Amino acid sequence: MTASAEKSTMNRREFIALTAVATGELAAFGMSGWAQNKLELDPDSVTNTDYVTDVLVVGGGMAGLFAAVKAHDAGASTLIVSKGRLGSSGLTPFAKGFFTYDPAVESMSIDEFTNAISRSALGTNNPVYTRQLAEHSLARAKELREWGFFDQTLANRPFMVPIQERGIPLIERVVITHLIKENGKIAGAAGFRLDAEETITIVAKTIILCTGAGAFKPNGFPVCDLTHDGTVMAYQIGAKVTGKEWNDGHTTRSVNPAACYDNWGDMFNRIPSTNGVEVHHDLGVDLNYRAYVTGNPVSGGPGGGPVTEEVAGGPFVPEEFQRDFGPPSGGPPGEGDAPGGRPDRGGGPPPGEGGAPGGPPGGGMAGSTMGGASAGMAIHKAEGLVPVDDRCASNIPGLYAAGDALGSYMSGGIYTQIGSSLAGSAVQGAIAGEAAAEYAAQSKVPAIPDTRLKEIINDILAPLRREEGYGPAWVTQTLQGIMIPNFVLYIKRAAMLKAALAFVEELRDHHAPMLRAANMHELRLVFETRNMILSAEMKLRASLMRTESRCSHYRLDYPDLDEENWRAWINIFKGDDGSMQLEKQSFDSWPLQ
Amino acid sequence: MKLNAKSCTIIAALAVFIGLPLLIYALGDFPRRSVLKETISILTLLFFSLMLAQFFMARSNEPLLKLFKPKQIQNVHKVISYTAVGFILLHPFFIVLPRYFEGGVKPLDAFVTMITTFDSLGILLGIGAWVLLLLMTITAIFRIGLIKRLQVKYPVWRYFHGGLAVVFVILAVWHAIELGRHTDTAMSVYFITLPVIGVALLGRYYWRTIPHKTAKAPAIQGAKS
Amino acid sequence: MTIKSINGCIGCEECVKSCPCDVIRMDPDSKKAVIAFPADCQICHLCRMYCPVDAIEMSPEKSIPVITSWG
Ligand SMILES: Cc1cc2nc3c(=O)[nH]c(=O)nc-3n(C[C@H](O)[C@H](O)[C@H](O)COP(=O)(O)OP(=O)(O)OC[C@H]3O[C@@H](n4cnc5c(N)ncnc54)[C@H](O)[C@@H]3O)c2cc1C
Ligand code: SF4
Ligand code: SF4
């Protein structure tokens, strides 16, 4: 099927893997640092295919699904491309709780709900997007139900129902690496196929980034295929991005920490269901703080037993949302947004509260809690492109984002409502789809000069042409070593952030440009590695700038909320000189355009 | 049981058709799975080897005919048909059955994907073998009526049944070697050896009977199967 | 080590498509799935769950060193 599929048999592979582990010789995994590029294909024989579309949807998760369906239904010719399979890539395959606001059963009005979220989020949420979530979630759930999403564990088949019905073209296993801007407007995108020696260029009137979140390929959270690609690509062409100082606080188990499936109990096996209003303040970094102060094993995590003693200080939780640190079994009903995710807080899976999934099973299991399961990922919907209106538009005409790729601050800098991440991606996808189709209807097919396309293709293939260079897996591991420690990423202070920034700048300047790739898989790793390096820089700079502690951002040197100076979000953009610039945008305002 | 020719034969048969595949399975380096899945695997293996045993529960196995009454052999052949053949006919469904009890692709979806993967040689062989096996079973059940209807002699029926069996076993064994989860080298050798002997017996028997068609009927009234 | 072995593969490519991390590829000769890049496996079991004949066996262990925040 592909030239890069390797020929050796399973057993040989297993053998190689085992000996590599045994001898600590990681070169067998392409983990070597600087080395010769053992090319498996001829970069000069790589072909290119071009496409033209009104609306290009990048990403095949919950947001991408709805963006494509609604853009198509609004009359635009629509194309979906995704790095992985529709419904089987990104975070969507693992989410099982879908929030719906059903006016028939909820006692809170939408206003009350939005206010409750704002109180829990300490003002960090954008109430326009919070309200939108509540208003549209039920309609999206209804459509998903018709497609069979709530009937089975795996999302691909139900997601394919509306796509096939409408005949929307879908190209899977394509890595988009470049967004193209011409005359100040979006003009297209480019990338390459994993399964063929082929680059892809797409001329598009408008693009909706549904590329999800990202992280540093951490262990214990199934986010290793996402590296903030959308955010970084958009940043490169001048979009503003936000939310980098927040941290998702998921933990994992100390025994086989990387085993996502095993550590999440039966979560991945479940059939999705809906749940109603339940406002919390969850999954920030309080467990990280506890570990920082008391060391390990951290009690309260899976297997760690109940939390007995309180730790002084640490992240501030508004009184209204403080929880009893109960024993592991029968813990609080559901947690944060992610399925109860928070394995601390006595996080046994809640007994099906509104169908909201629980977190990994609590106590009794072997081992203690490890931090950094989702290292590099912020709170869903807090990080991503800065919206300039309530319809998911970015500051670049024609460029939209939805779901985890949009910094809509729907829930704020902390998880505030169970199941809202999945529902939020559906709601925003639909809104962005319609907005993009409208924009496309009023614009002409953009022209991209051939020279520009050639330049981009050359840029894509450059790591294949490099005769020697750094292995992307090695650089990623180095980055992980710099960024993932608790005292860098989670429990922050200026000196440490600056130190880490120096390392990351080094990777940015002297490693990212010298990454090598021997095949299309490694080419993907190269781009992912570069994106992670830039994301790391963003995280460090934003964390340094926010001189206070709020929600999931915690500074040891600024442990308190600063209402006077920091009722503001941080936007990041590329300055005229190419350097990373940061600015404040006050809560409840839209960016100046 | 007294150790005589009969009981020795039975013990030997059990050892070859049940003991040996179990032994190969036990010694094989396969990942062990849930009780349900392992049970299905073991039963599939055993019933497959019992189905191969059908070649030996036939009139072509002359030494056996000297020991047992044709009726007895015929009965064993029938019992194996109803159980082993039945199970083997159903085994494509058993492969997806455990999905009812765990998260993952729905059993029916899995089944459809499986039987529509036409670029897989193993699947094509399997479908071919399955159809042949079904044909063999149905024609065997209705053989009396069929023989009457088509006005053919009994030996013609026998050639038909034996012939189908030979084609079937080639496809089935090839299928098992191509796709079988537990078909390592030892199991493959086993799966090849048994039918080779069986088909050889059949060949020898037909070779002997064909040229003498006009001569007197075979001395022994074999298993009518 | 992560995704561990594939036994009884019919070559339908479901796992290749369903793996978010591009760990599995088809062997062009045998037309069966092979574990091509085990180091990138995130142990999410999607491949196993999508496989129609349940051919994929998993292990909870990662094949490369695991970096966590503390521990
Ligand atoms: C274990 C787990 C449990 C969760 N549980 C819940 C829950 O119960 N309830 C809830 O509300 N939320 C939950 N979440 C969060 C929820 O899954 C996400 O917020 C939501 O699915 C995001 O959807 P999305 O479409 O925005 O992005 P994703 O689903 O992440 O999709 C991103 C898509 O973009 C594609 N892509 C990325 N980069 C590129 C590129 N360069 N080129 C082409 N394509 C690209 C990817 O292949 C993927 O298809 C959970 C998350 C996890 C990991
Ligand atoms: S477990 Fe997940 S990451 Fe690993 S090979 Fe399977 S699908 Fe890919
Ligand atoms: S899904 Fe299963 S049968 Fe299909 S190619 Fe992968 S391992 Fe083989």
Side-chain angles (χ1 to χ4, degrees):
Chain A
M1 185 186 71
T2 83
S4 42
E6 294 175 34
K7 287 186 184 168
S8 29
T9 66
M10 256 310 304
N11 289 337
R12 199 174 99 81
R13 249 178 225 307
E14 271 192 71
F15 174 77
I16 291 174
L18 286 173
T19 41
V21 169
T23 58
E25 204 225 287
L26 293 166
F29 294 117
M31 291 287 295
S32 55
W34 183 271
Q36 206 83 41
N37 190 6
K38 298 205 182 82
L39 252 192
E40 293 167 24
L41 55 90
D42 174 12
D44 295 325
S45 68
V46 174
T47 55
N48 181 65
T49 308
D50 42 16
Y51 299 84
V52 183
T53 184
D54 286 349
V55 175
L56 170 65
V57 175
V58 185
M62 186 57 88
L65 170 74
F66 275 99
V69 165
K70 297 297 173 182
H72 171 95
D73 289 356
S77 78
T78 305
L79 169 69
I80 316 177
V81 292
S82 178
K83 189 146 100 172
R85 194 183 206 186
L86 186 69
S88 186
S89 53
L91 305 192
T92 296
F94 311 103
K96 307 295 176 171
F98 190 101
F99 167 73
T100 54
Y101 179 88
D102 185 350
V105 298
E106 295 300 348
S107 51
M108 261 189 197
S109 70
I110 290 191
D111 279 337
E112 285 164 346
F113 168 74
T114 308
N115 289 337
I117 295 281
S118 297
R119 288 197 305 278
S120 167
L122 299 168
T124 54
N125 70 314
N126 181 338
V128 174
Y129 277 98
T130 310
R131 165 180 287 279
Q132 190 182 72
L133 160 77
E135 284 168 350
H136 296 265
S137 52
L138 196 59
R140 298 292 83 81
K142 191 166 160 277
E143 285 163 313
L144 284 168
R145 198 172 297 283
E146 281 163 18
W147 302 331
F149 177 68
F150 296 110
D151 298 335
Q152 55 186 301
T153 313
L154 303 175
N156 175 257
R157 275 188 172 78
F159 277 20
M160 283 308 289
V161 170
I163 300 301
Q164 275 169 342
E165 269 171 15
R166 290 163 175 79
I168 299 173
L170 164 68
I171 325 176
E172 290 167 336
R173 294 172 59 77
V174 164
V175 183
I176 295 295
T177 54
H178 292 69
L179 298 179
I180 308 170
K181 191 172 78 168
E182 289 295 328
N183 306 319
K185 291 184 196 155
I186 220 62
F192 61 89
R193 272 183 195 274
L194 291 170
D195 295 317
E197 288 156 24
E198 189 179 297
T199 54
I200 278 184
T201 49
I202 305 157
V203 173
K205 291 178 181 172
T206 157
I207 294 179
I208 310 173
L209 291 175
C210 301
T211 40
F216 302 138
K217 293 187 186 274
N219 294 288
F221 198 80
V223 64
C224 300
D225 61 327
L226 299 183
T227 45
H228 296 113
D229 300 356
T231 301
V232 174
M233 288 188 290
Y235 166 83
Q236 299 287 18
I237 61 163
K240 288 184 177 175
V241 304
T242 187
K244 290 299 172 181
E245 68 273 37
W246 314 112
N247 274 320
D248 172 293
H250 275 96
T251 52
T252 184
R253 291 189 181 137
S254 58
V255 177
N256 292 325
C260 298
Y261 176 88
D262 310 74
N263 289 350
W264 277 81
D266 73 336
M267 175 87 187
F268 293 8
N269 289 327
R270 286 190 213 167
I271 292 171
S273 57
T274 55
N275 62 275
V277 170
E278 231 177 85
V279 181
H280 293 300
H281 180 98
D282 268 321
L283 267 159
V285 294
D286 13 345
L287 196 65
N288 299 73
Y289 181 76
R290 173 173 288 276
Y292 185 81
V293 175
T294 65
N296 228 12
V298 179
S299 38
V307 174
T308 43
E309 90 286 19
E310 276 301 316
V311 175
F316 165 72
V317 178
E319 200 165 346
E320 181 186 352
F321 301 98
Q322 272 171 17
R323 285 226 182 109
D324 220 7
F325 283 60
S329 59
E335 310 257 355
D337 128 284
R342 191 68 180 265
D344 56 324
R345 315 270 182 104
E353 186 81 24
M365 306 297 290
S368 52
T369 304
M370 297 283 241
S374 53
M377 189 172 82
I379 302 292
H380 304 314
K381 313 292 181 286
E383 66 179 333
L385 271 63
V386 176
V388 296
D389 61 13
D390 59 350
R391 301 188 74 197
C392 309
S394 75
N395 59 318
I396 295 177
L399 182 61
Y400 295 77
D404 285 4
L406 181 70
S408 65
Y409 284 107
M410 182 191 82
S411 3
I414 192 88
Y415 290 118
T416 46
Q417 164 63 51
I418 300 171
S420 65
S421 300
L422 196 53
S425 287
V427 166
Q428 293 175 2
I431 285 171
E434 281 167 9
E438 242 171 69
Y439 175 94
Q442 292 159 8
S443 42
K444 287 205 280 288
V445 179
I448 309 172
D450 276 351
T451 48
R452 178 89 188 97
L453 287 177
K454 254 200 201 108
E455 204 182 297
I456 290 173
I457 290 172
N458 272 336
D459 193 33
I460 293 175
L461 299 179
L464 291 168
R465 296 217 166 96
R466 205 152 282 133
E467 275 170 19
E468 46 186 13
Y470 290 106
W474 180 84
V475 175
T476 293
Q477 277 228 328
T478 306
L479 180 74
Q480 289 177 333
I482 298 166
M483 290 302 293
I484 297 185
N486 202 25
F487 53 81
V488 176
L489 190 59
Y490 299 98
I491 306 305
K492 310 171 192 177
R493 62 194 165 93
M496 206 61 79
L497 293 170
K498 281 182 190 149
L501 187 57
F503 282 105
V504 168
E505 283 172 343
E506 181 65 22
L507 291 183
R508 180 196 68 193
D509 296 338
H510 296 120
H511 288 72
M514 286 190 257
L515 287 165
R516 64 165 200 269
N519 52 42
M520 299 314 252
H521 177 82
E522 282 189 11
L523 191 58
R524 167 182 171 160
L525 296 184
V526 164
F527 282 95
E528 291 180 335
T529 302
R530 285 185 189 160
N531 292 348
M532 285 188 279
I533 293 172
L534 262 188
S535 296
E537 184 184 348
M538 290 177 184
K539 283 196 93 64
L540 293 170
R541 290 194 191 278
S543 298
L544 267 168
M545 181 171 176
R546 186 175 279 281
T547 46
E548 65 151 1
S549 293
R550 187 186 293 264
C551 294
S552 59
H553 165 77
Y554 186 75
R555 288 277 302 253
L556 269 177
D557 43 0
Y558 296 93
D560 300 318
L561 212 63
D562 181 351
E563 287 288 275
E564 198 180 317
N565 298 303
W566 276 109
R567 289 194 60 81
W569 297 303
I570 296 175
N571 297 339
I572 305 174
F573 58 97
K574 201 170 177 172
D576 295 334
D577 60 350
S579 67
M580 195 175 279
Q581 302 291 318
L582 292 89
E583 67 177 16
K584 272 189 195 179
Q585 177 191 328
S586 66
F587 292 162
D588 302 345
S589 75
W590 298 102
L592 302 170
Q593 273 200 275
Chain B
M1 203 197 303
K2 246 191 18 225
L3 226 53
N4 55 24
K6 275 192 187 182
S7 60
C8 281
T9 309
I10 293 174
I11 291 170
L14 289 178
V16 171
F17 296 112
I18 295 182
L20 209 51
L22 278 183
L23 185 73
I24 299 174
Y25 165 85
L27 296 179
D29 179 25
F30 312 111
R32 307 294 167 192
R33 311 184 303 151
S34 74
V35 176
L36 174 66
K37 292 177 188 177
E38 288 299 272
T39 310
I40 291 174
S41 290
I42 293 175
L43 286 179
T44 312
L45 279 174
L46 283 186
F47 284 136
F48 189 66
S49 74
L50 280 180
M51 215 174 43
L52 298 180
Q54 292 287 64
F55 277 100
F56 301 87
M57 305 294 163
R59 128 194 337 256
S60 54
N61 191 349
E62 285 164 9
L64 198 67
L65 284 169
K66 289 186 185 124
L67 281 175
F68 297 92
K69 291 201 194 82
K71 189 75 194 160
Q72 287 176 316
I73 297 176
Q74 195 190 357
N75 280 343
V76 173
H77 195 104
K78 258 192 190 152
V79 167
I80 295 181
S81 293
Y82 292 137
T83 53
V85 172
F87 190 94
I88 294 297
L89 279 175
L90 289 176
H91 96 273
F93 303 99
F94 288 139
I95 288 176
V96 300
L97 180 78
R99 292 294 194 196
Y100 272 113
F101 310 106
E102 62 185 22
V105 58
K106 281 181 167 182
L108 188 64
D109 291 335
F111 187 75
V112 170
T113 307
M114 187 169 84
I115 60 161
T116 53
T117 305
F118 295 127
D119 16 337
S120 160
L121 176 66
I123 288 293
L124 292 179
L125 290 167
I127 293 174
W130 191 88
V131 171
L132 280 181
L133 188 60
L134 190 68
L135 187 69
M136 280 175 75
T137 314
I138 292 174
T139 51
I141 292 173
F142 299 108
R143 66 186 182 281
I144 308 290
L146 273 175
I147 290 170
K148 273 199 193 128
R149 214 93 176 249
L150 302 173
Q151 298 196 321
V152 292
K153 294 219 173 72
Y154 193 77
V156 175
W157 151 257
R158 227 192 282 132
Y159 293 137
F160 173 73
H161 192 72
L164 279 186
V166 172
V167 182
F168 161 77
V169 83
I170 293 171
L171 297 189
V173 167
W174 194 354
H175 161 81
I177 291 173
E178 185 71 22
L179 293 188
R181 185 190 297 277
H182 297 100
T183 338
D184 56 5
T185 315
M187 200 69 93
S188 305
V189 169
Y190 174 78
F191 282 161
I192 292 173
T193 313
L194 278 191
V196 163
I197 299 173
V199 171
L201 281 178
L202 204 65
R204 188 183 64 160
Y205 175 69
Y206 286 170
W207 182 253
R208 282 192 196 161
T209 49
I210 292 170
H212 311 299
K213 244 192 249 167
T214 46
K216 58 181 167 46
I220 313 151
Q221 280 299 317
K224 293 183 177 174
S225 48
Chain C
M1 28 152 298
T2 54
I3 174 174
K4 199 164 115 195
S5 66
I6 303 179
N7 295 288
C9 170
I10 61 169
C12 68
E13 290 189 40
E14 279 287 302
C15 56
V16 177
K17 293 183 203 156
S18 306
C19 172
C21 302
D22 190 28
V23 169
I24 313 169
R25 291 294 183 91
M26 296 304 289
D27 182 319
D29 298 332
S30 71
K31 300 224 171 71
K32 291 191 182 200
V34 290
I35 304 168
F37 307 105
D40 293 315
C41 175
Q42 62 176 352
I43 320 182
C44 67
H45 288 223
L46 283 178
C47 53
R48 180 184 65 73
M49 291 200 270
Y50 272 94
C51 175
V53 297
D54 202 5
I56 298 174
E57 289 303 316
M58 300 289 312
S59 146
E61 283 156 42
K62 185 104 175 148
S63 59
I64 54 170
V66 167
I67 295 171
T68 54
S69 287
W70 68 78

